[in-house]
Amino acid sequence: MTLEEMASALEASGDYKILHRLVPRAQLNMPSGPVRTALFVDVETTGLEPTRHEIIELAMVPFTYEREGRICEVKEPFHALQQPKDPITPEITKITGITDEMVAGKAIDWAQVTALVESADLILAHNAGFDRQF
């Protein structure tokens, strides 16, 4: 069985969440003019209320794109876990796949996050309305 076949079988069981590593590619398309930088962001939290719950995972992928939207380069992804003040509930672990053991002693480097955000001309998120609150 190939790795992809094994991953598919595990995911199909419903008992596993398989994460696939995003491999940066130096150049996807040669730009034909000026490029801009964008940042795709995904946030996982301990709940739905920003005043009560915390970020436990932050993933960001910077990339360059042309004005017309064509992606030119996918840069080095950023990924970090953060140990929350309170234990992660079983419901959140079921949704995110993140356990207390995974985040134990971990902290997000907010200076690095700030540098990535400030360098972006555009920020994208799967659920921006939710993520933005955190």
Side-chain angles (χ1 to χ4, degrees), residues 10-26:
L10 287 170
E11 287 178 331
S13 75
D15 292 331
Y16 297 91
K17 176 182 174 186
I18 305 299
L19 302 177
H20 298 267
R21 184 174 3 151
L22 179 63
V23 180
R25 295 181 223 161

Side-chain angles (χ1 to χ4, degrees), residues 45-54 92 95 127 130 133-134:
T45 66
T46 57
L48 301 174
E49 299 174 37
T51 57
R52 203 175 101 203
H53 297 113
E54 301 174 67
I92 295 301
I95 293 167
N127 191 358
F130 174 78
Q133 297 176 63
F134 284 88

Side-chain angles (χ1 to χ4, degrees), residues 10 12 23 38 48 54 56-57 73 78 93 112 120 134:
L10 287 170
V23 180
L48 301 174
E54 301 174 67
I56 53 175
E57 181 179 37
E73 178 183 13
F78 171 90
T93 295
Q112 190 175 2
F134 284 88

Side-chain angles (χ1 to χ4, degrees), residues 56-59 78-82 107-109:
I56 53 175
E57 181 179 37
L58 180 61
F78 171 90
H79 176 259
L81 296 168
Q82 173 92 20
I108 295 172
D109 180 348

Side-chain angles (χ1 to χ4, degrees), residues 67 104 117:
R67 183 176 174 187
V117 169

Side-chain angles (χ1 to χ4, degrees), residues 15-100:
D15 292 331
Y16 297 91
K17 176 182 174 186
I18 305 299
L19 302 177
H20 298 267
R21 184 174 3 151
L22 179 63
V23 180
R25 295 181 223 161
Q27 196 82 36
L28 295 173
N29 296 299
M30 282 302 277
S32 58
V35 296
R36 296 178 178 163
T37 300
L39 189 63
F40 183 81
V41 178
D42 187 37
V43 177
E44 299 295 345
T45 66
T46 57
L48 301 174
E49 299 174 37
T51 57
R52 203 175 101 203
H53 297 113
E54 301 174 67
I55 293 174
I56 53 175
E57 181 179 37
L58 180 61
M60 301 187 297
V61 180
F63 62 94
T64 61
Y65 67 99
E66 292 180 309
R67 183 176 174 187
E68 297 76 25
R70 189 171 74 138
I71 296 173
C72 298
E73 178 183 13
V74 177
K75 297 184 176 191
E76 190 68 34
F78 171 90
H79 176 259
L81 296 168
Q82 173 92 20
Q83 181 177 350
K85 294 178 193 117
D86 298 317
I88 298 171
T89 65
E91 294 82 15
I92 295 301
T93 295
K94 186 175 180 179
I95 293 167
T96 65
I98 300 170
T99 65
D100 286 321

